[in-house]
Each structure stands twice: as C-alpha cells, then as structure tokens.
C-alpha cells in the first residue's frame, strides 16, 4: 500500500482517465494536470520536465495536524549538477534535493546554507547474465564465463568498495555485501559485510574457472540515474582490468539503459542497477530481481537466473501469515542467492539535501520530500 493513490471512480470515468499515465511515452492524461482529492497542495500549472507550481489547499483534511508553513511550491527541473548548485547559491532556488557529492563540503561552508545528510533506501550493484549459453558481447564463444560461480566471485573480489566510497562518492556511500539496505525486513548484518578487494584471489578464481587470461565483456551503465553512476562504472572497469577482465563501458541515459534490462529477452550481459525497496520487505527484491522471468514475475531479472525451488519460496511469502515462518523463509532465500553470487553489491546510497539556512528539511530513506511537514517561507 506504500504507493497506492486512491481516486474517485466517478471522477476518473467522467474525465476519461481510468488508466495510468504512460510515463515511457511521456503522455499526459486528465489526472496529470487536474487534482482529485483533499491533499495539502493543489496544482496551479505544469510544464512537463520544466516547471510545476503548487499552492496550499485550504480544504486539506490534515490542517492543524502538520506545520504547513510552505504556502507555494515551485518545482524546477535542473538536470545539470553545476547549474542546480549555482541556482541554490544565487538564490534562484531555496532547496536542492539531488545535491552532487562533490559539492557538499562547499555548500556546508557557504554562508546561509545548510546540508542535511542521511541514508537512502537504495542499493547499487552489478548484475551478470548467468543464464545464456554464450555472452553476446564477449570474446569467449561457445560458453558463458558468468555461468561459472568462480568467475562471479572473482568479480565480487575485484571491486574495491572503500576506494569507490572515498574517490567516487566522496564518503557519501555505505559499502555493502548484500543488495538489501538495513531498513528492509530480512536484512542480515552478517551477510552485509562488504567483501574486501582481493585481486590476487580473484585472478586465482579466474584461472581455476579456465580463464587465466581473462575475457572481454561489455558493461551497460546509466549516466543520469544514480549518484555518480557512470563514475562508479569507470572506476570498476579499472578494477576488473587488474584481474584480466577487459570490460568495455557503454554508458547512456536511464531510459534506454532500463530498456536493455527489461526487454524480453534482455539485451545486456553486464549492467549497473540500483534498487529501492518501498515495501521495506525482502519479497520486493526477490520477486523483481531473483524470481524466474515470466509475465509479471522477475521483470527486472536480466541475469536469466532461474531456480524453481526458490521461486516457490518467493511466492509463498505473499500468503504466509506466520511471521516467524515467513522470516525464516526469507533468511533461507537470502542464504541461497548470496551463495549463488547473482549480483555484485557495491554500496547503499546516502542522500544529501541542500537548502537555505532558514529551512529545516530532513532526509527520508525513500528520497521523498513531504513539504507539509515543514515550516518556513514559500
């Protein structure tokens, strides 16, 4: 229920807006530009990907329960990191949600500015095509190197997570050993111990798997979705090179990147992905990323991983009402997928909100800003 928005059926039918907006095609419907409900703010105007204006709604049901100190909201889309920070420093905007990590210290030191930092409910990791007979982008023909768990573990050992945290993320990341943030039901601190970088051990695993000279493969990476996503990939490419794996980086916008992952069959052998868990439960991770792909199941599982016994356990989580039994199944599933090394965890993101000093907007793990919670000027 975390993202369920209730609307009037009669209103939706009257205004021919009974189906959801098509985000991929950037199509509007009546509900995009006309509000239905009694929320804290109502829509004044909207220019897609440019500007959206909201004003406080006098008929809000929660009036008197929340500060509601902000009377007007003007959302501006500023895609450039540098331009976004400059707009804050110049006074053009009062608040920046996506603060570049390289600018945090500068903003903290700037007069009249403050930065709020906190953990995000999002893990960043690599996925590998472990199920195809052959990798389309590799120089290895007739077999799939990623199908061998020793190769997958070699890649896990190749990543220096602390170096990425320090050099790429400027300290704004928490190195991870599993792809579930600590907020999530089923999280296991023991499993989340970040593997230490060990290039020599990685080379040994590759040699044991029959790849003493490594191999080549293409890594698909977004360049506009996660914090320093392309830089993470660039750093990792260098780390993979140290163990003999020649990785060609192909970086691009998030739309085409996600399309490669979600196509049937997927069109990527090796990819970067980030995953938030709005339900705060492990089932959300398993059903999208581990369950055998088919229909509504495993829609983001581009690894081609398939385990029928595991599928049955994942499905059981949707109907098991005995909490202890359900959590035991979750722990068992984590044990299996961790052992199979399907994904390569990198880190959990942290959030940084920058704002004028007279605002006090705290970070939320979901990376959502609930403006009704705060006082202040417009």
């Amino acid at each position: 229920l975390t993202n369920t928005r209730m609307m009037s059926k009669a209103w939706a039918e009257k205004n021919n807006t009974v189906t959801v907006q098509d985000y991929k095609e950037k199509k509007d419907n009546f509900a995009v530009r006309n509000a239905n409900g009694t929320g804290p703010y109502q829509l004044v105007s909207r220019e897609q990907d440019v500007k959206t204006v909201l004003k406080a709604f006098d008929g809000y049901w929660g009036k008197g329960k929340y500060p509601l100190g902000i009377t007007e909201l003007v959302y501006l889309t500023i895609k450039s990191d540098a331009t976004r920070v400059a707009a804050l420093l110049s006074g053009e905007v009062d608040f920046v949600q996506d603060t570049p990590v390289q600018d945090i210290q500068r903003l903290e030191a700037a007069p009249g500015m403050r930065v709020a930092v906190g953990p995000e409910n999002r893990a960043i990791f690599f996925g590998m095509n472990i199920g195809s007979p052959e990798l389309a982008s590799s120089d290895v023909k007739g077999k799939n190197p990623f199908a061998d768990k020793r190769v997958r573990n070699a890649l896990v050992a190749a990543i220096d997570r602390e170096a990425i945290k320090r050099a790429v993320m400027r300290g704004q990341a928490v190195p991870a050993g599993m792809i579930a943030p600590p907020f999530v039901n089923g999280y296991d601190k023991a499993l989340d111990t970040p593997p230490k970088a060990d290039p020599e051990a990685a080379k040994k695993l590759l040699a044991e798997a029959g790849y003493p000279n490594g191999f080549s493969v293409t890594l698909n990476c977004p360049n506009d979705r996660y914090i320093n996503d392309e830089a993470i990939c660039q750093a990792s490419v260098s780390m993979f090179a140290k163990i003999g794996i020649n990785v060609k980086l192909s970086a691009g916008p998030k739309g085409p990147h996600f399309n490669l992952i979600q196509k049937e069959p997927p069109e990527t052998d090796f990819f970067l992905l980030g995953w938030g868990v709005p339900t705060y439960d492990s089932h959300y991770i398993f059903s999208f990323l581990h369950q055998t792909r088919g229909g509504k199941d495993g829609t983001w599982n581009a690894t081609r991983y398939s385990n029928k016994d595991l599928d049955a356990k994942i499905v059981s989580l949707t109907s098991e009402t005995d909490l202890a039994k359900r959590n035991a199944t979750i722990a068992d599933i984590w044990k299996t997928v961790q052992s199979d090394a399907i994904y390569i965890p990198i880190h959990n993101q942290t959030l940084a909100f920058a704002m004028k000093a007279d605002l006090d907007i705290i970070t939320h793990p979901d990376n959502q800003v609930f403006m009704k919670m705060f006082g202040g000027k417009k």
Side-chain angles (χ1 to χ4, degrees):
L1 299 177
T2 56
N3 291 310
T4 299
R5 309 286 186 257
M6 288 185 279
M7 296 169 62
S8 162
K9 181 181 179 183
W11 182 89
E13 291 178 340
K14 177 183 177 182
N15 294 293
N16 192 30
T17 185
V18 294
T19 57
V20 297
Q21 178 190 9
D22 189 337
Y23 284 98
K24 288 185 177 180
E25 296 299 323
K26 293 191 174 183
K27 292 182 179 178
D28 282 359
N29 61 26
F30 190 81
V32 173
R33 297 183 181 275
N34 298 271
N36 171 239
T38 56
Y41 296 96
Q42 62 185 143
L43 185 67
V44 175
S45 62
R46 180 173 186 267
E47 299 171 67
Q48 187 164 312
D49 293 332
V50 178
K51 180 180 179 181
T52 299
V53 180
L54 306 173
K55 68 177 180 180
F57 177 48
D58 289 337
Y60 174 45
W61 65 268
K63 215 165 186 180
K65 296 184 178 181
Y66 302 98
L68 296 173
I70 298 173
T71 57
E72 183 183 54
L73 287 166
V74 180
Y75 287 103
L76 299 177
T77 300
I78 306 176
K79 295 184 178 181
S80 164
D81 286 348
T83 306
R84 197 159 56 244
V85 171
L88 179 63
L89 290 169
S90 69
E92 181 185 348
V93 301
D94 303 295
F95 168 78
V96 166
Q97 183 172 354
D98 299 309
T99 308
V101 294
Q102 61 269 23
D103 291 307
I104 291 176
Q105 287 187 341
R106 178 161 68 105
L107 289 169
E108 287 176 331
M113 293 290 160
R114 65 184 302 272
V115 180
V117 177
E120 185 179 6
N121 181 7
R122 186 179 304 280
I124 306 296
F125 50 90
F126 291 119
M128 298 162 283
N129 173 3
I130 70 174
S132 294
E134 182 180 291
L135 299 179
S137 66
S138 176
D139 59 355
V140 176
K141 302 304 175 185
K143 60 180 179 178
N144 177 354
F146 289 155
D148 192 313
K149 190 164 74 170
R150 291 169 295 187
V151 172
R152 303 199 294 273
N153 281 325
L155 269 69
V156 170
I159 296 291
D160 189 336
R161 291 157 185 79
E162 287 296 333
I164 291 175
K165 174 184 176 180
R166 182 181 64 255
V168 178
M169 303 302 292
R170 309 292 179 95
Q172 300 301 313
V174 181
M178 65 187 298
I179 62 170
F183 313 98
V184 174
N185 179 52
Y187 170 82
D188 187 333
K189 189 174 182 179
L191 294 178
D192 196 34
T193 302
K196 290 186 177 180
D198 194 337
E200 293 308 313
K203 290 177 184 178
K204 185 177 179 181
L205 284 168
L206 285 177
E208 290 175 358
Y211 304 97
N213 299 316
F215 56 90
S216 66
V217 68
T218 295
L219 171 63
N220 297 109
C221 183
N223 59 14
D224 61 356
R225 176 61 185 95
Y226 311 112
I227 300 172
N228 288 354
D229 40 16
E230 185 175 1
I232 292 169
C233 291
Q234 289 171 341
S236 299
V237 166
S238 297
M239 294 169 187
F240 294 137
K242 290 180 180 178
I243 68 169
I245 299 180
N246 178 24
V247 177
K248 177 184 177 182
L249 178 59
S250 176
K254 59 182 179 289
H257 176 74
F258 291 152
N259 193 38
L260 294 174
I261 294 171
Q262 291 193 287
K263 274 187 175 181
E264 187 53 49
E267 294 185 356
T268 176
D269 290 326
F270 196 21
F271 57 92
L272 180 83
L273 188 61
W275 201 252
V277 190
T279 62
Y280 288 79
D281 184 78
S282 290
H283 174 266
Y284 191 87
I285 301 170
F286 300 148
S287 63
F288 283 103
L289 297 175
H290 298 95
Q291 199 165 345
T292 300
R293 197 162 184 170
K296 294 182 178 180
D297 301 323
T299 51
W300 286 84
N301 180 7
T303 69
R304 289 80 157 177
Y305 177 76
S306 180
N307 182 326
K308 296 299 182 183
D309 290 338
L310 198 76
D311 290 345
K313 291 177 182 177
I314 294 171
V315 171
S316 77
L317 299 177
T318 64
S319 58
E320 180 54 67
T321 56
D322 184 321
L323 186 60
K325 185 176 179 180
R326 185 178 187 275
N327 284 342
T329 301
I330 287 175
D332 186 48
I333 294 171
W334 273 119
K335 183 179 179 181
T336 298
V337 299
Q338 287 288 104
S339 174
D340 286 346
I342 305 161
Y343 294 102
I344 304 171
I346 304 170
H347 57 236
N348 294 317
Q349 285 192 168
T350 56
L351 298 171
F353 292 173
M355 67 205 80
K356 290 185 176 178
D358 60 350
L359 291 175
D360 186 18
I361 300 175
I362 61 173
T363 63
H364 187 280
D366 284 344
N367 198 9
Q368 296 186 42
V369 183
F370 301 95
M371 290 298 185
K372 70 179 183 180
M373 302 297 295
F374 307 108
K377 303 174 183 179
K378 90 172 179 181

